[in-house]
Amino acid sequence: MKKLRAVLIQTPLWIYFVISVYPLVWMISYSLKNNDEIFVTNPFGFPTHFRIENYTAAWSQFNIPRYFMNSFIVSSISTLLIIVLALMFSFAIARMRWKFRESVRLYMTIGMFMPLQVIMIPLAILVRDFHLTNTYGALIVPYVAIGLPFSCLIFYGFMKSIPGELEESACMDGANIYRMFIQIIVPVVTPAIATVAIFQFLSNWNEFMLAYILISDEAMKTLPLGLLFFQGQYSTDWGGMGAVMTIASLPMVIIYLFFSEQVENAMTVGSAVKG
């Protein structure tokens, strides 16, 4: 009876697992086939012959390494700046007492609901006037501005849950406000930092619309933008397209594997700190 109950409970979970993993498996399988297998002979099965040449051709014949490096530079710098600035801002509004702090917090929160379409034209004009067009700064500055409201909201919630006794103990030990921030607050919110790092890096890595508007130089294109033109020009090489998409997905999978435990901890860190 217990085994039957366990099977009944686990069956929906296994179905959900298969549905969730199948797109990733299909993409990898698709990247190892030729056009005949993809469309005619074997569209849904595993490849009958593993065509590794799809990967070597995608990497060597097109500008994928350059697109990959541009995406990595833009996403890494943007994510680092978002974390640093959001941490300092959240500390100022969550743990310090000063006039207008609630107004400033509300102003930052409103930014989270601002549609990207509304700021496109003013942003393009600003980027042009500051001579940032076709530079890394053309994407890094907007990505940081767009990512700050959501990140501040997460850090603010975590920092508000930290008991004041920690700061009082640090003050009794002679810690100033900078030491308190770096050695007391930042280590406590490490799970939140991991969560923000994953969300913001993936968001910046996949961003397409701003890159399409602000970047026109071939050498400065990011991976999503480069894939668009790759598809239009070489639309018959579907196996190569699958290989490029698999390569583009690898950093996201690796980052999630490294930080998944921290994200799970983020779900319970608030109650843990209070306890």
Side-chain angles (χ1 to χ4, degrees):
M1 189 64 183
K2 289 183 178 179
K3 288 185 178 180
L4 179 61
R5 182 181 299 175
V7 170
L8 292 175
I9 294 175
Q10 292 180 7
T11 299
L13 299 178
W14 280 108
I15 293 174
Y16 178 76
F17 171 78
V18 171
I19 294 174
S20 301
V21 172
Y22 180 75
L24 182 62
V25 175
W26 184 83
M27 183 180 68
I28 297 174
S29 171
Y30 159 80
S31 69
L32 295 170
K33 298 177 181 177
N34 59 14
N35 289 357
D36 288 337
E37 281 189 277
I38 293 172
F39 292 107
V40 182
T41 60
N42 186 24
F44 299 107
F46 289 103
T48 55
H49 174 68
F50 292 95
R51 301 180 187 280
I52 305 298
E53 58 268 22
N54 287 342
Y55 285 87
T56 56
W59 189 264
S60 60
Q61 295 179 11
F62 308 107
N63 210 11
I64 298 303
R66 183 67 186 178
Y67 300 150
F68 193 95
M69 182 58 65
N70 289 340
S71 287
F72 182 78
I73 291 173
V74 170
S75 302
S76 300
I77 296 177
S78 302
T79 304
L80 181 63
L81 289 176
I82 289 171
I83 291 173
V84 172
L85 295 176
L87 276 173
M88 292 190 294
F89 179 82
S90 302
F91 177 74
I93 62 174
R95 310 304 297 184
M96 301 173 68
R97 299 290 180 267
W98 46 283
K99 199 174 182 181
F100 302 124
R101 68 187 181 93
E102 284 298 324
S103 301
V104 171
R105 184 177 70 85
L106 181 62
Y107 177 78
M108 179 64 77
T109 304
I110 291 174
M112 194 167 55
F113 303 102
M114 188 67 66
L116 184 58
Q117 292 80 1
V118 174
I119 63 172
M120 272 186 184
I121 295 178
L123 181 60
I125 295 174
L126 282 175
V127 169
R128 183 200 61 191
D129 292 345
F130 280 97
H131 304 289
L132 292 175
T133 306
N134 288 324
T135 65
Y136 290 132
L139 297 180
I140 291 174
V141 174
Y143 288 174
V144 172
I146 294 171
L148 274 177
F150 176 72
S151 304
C152 291
L153 187 67
I154 293 180
F155 288 143
Y156 175 78
F158 274 77
M159 289 184 185
K160 286 291 287 183
S161 67
I162 298 174
E165 286 79 3
L166 286 177
E167 292 169 318
E168 293 173 3
S169 300
C171 287
M172 293 177 65
D173 290 339
N176 57 25
I177 191 169
Y178 301 105
R179 184 181 168 193
M180 187 186 304
F181 172 70
I182 296 174
Q183 296 186 349
I184 304 297
I185 300 299
V186 172
V188 172
V189 299
T190 299
I193 294 174
T195 303
V196 170
I198 289 177
F199 279 104
Q200 294 300 339
F201 187 88
L202 298 188
S203 175
N204 297 333
W205 183 269
N206 292 322
E207 202 284 325
F208 172 79
M209 194 176 298
L210 286 179
Y212 185 73
I213 295 173
L214 302 175
I215 300 294
S216 59
D217 188 351
E218 182 72 21
M220 297 302 298
K221 288 176 182 174
T222 56
L223 199 52
L225 195 59
L227 281 173
L228 173 69
F229 292 95
F230 175 86
Q231 184 180 15
Q233 188 175 3
Y234 303 100
S235 58
T236 55
D237 187 9
W238 293 102
M241 281 295 299
V244 174
M245 288 188 289
T246 303
I247 293 171
S249 303
L250 278 178
M252 294 179 283
V253 175
I254 293 173
I255 288 174
Y256 182 77
L257 290 177
F258 272 104
F259 290 100
S260 59
E261 186 176 350
Q262 292 291 338
V263 174
E264 292 173 4
N265 292 337
M267 304 300 175
T268 56
V269 68
S271 59
V273 171
K274 288 177 181 177

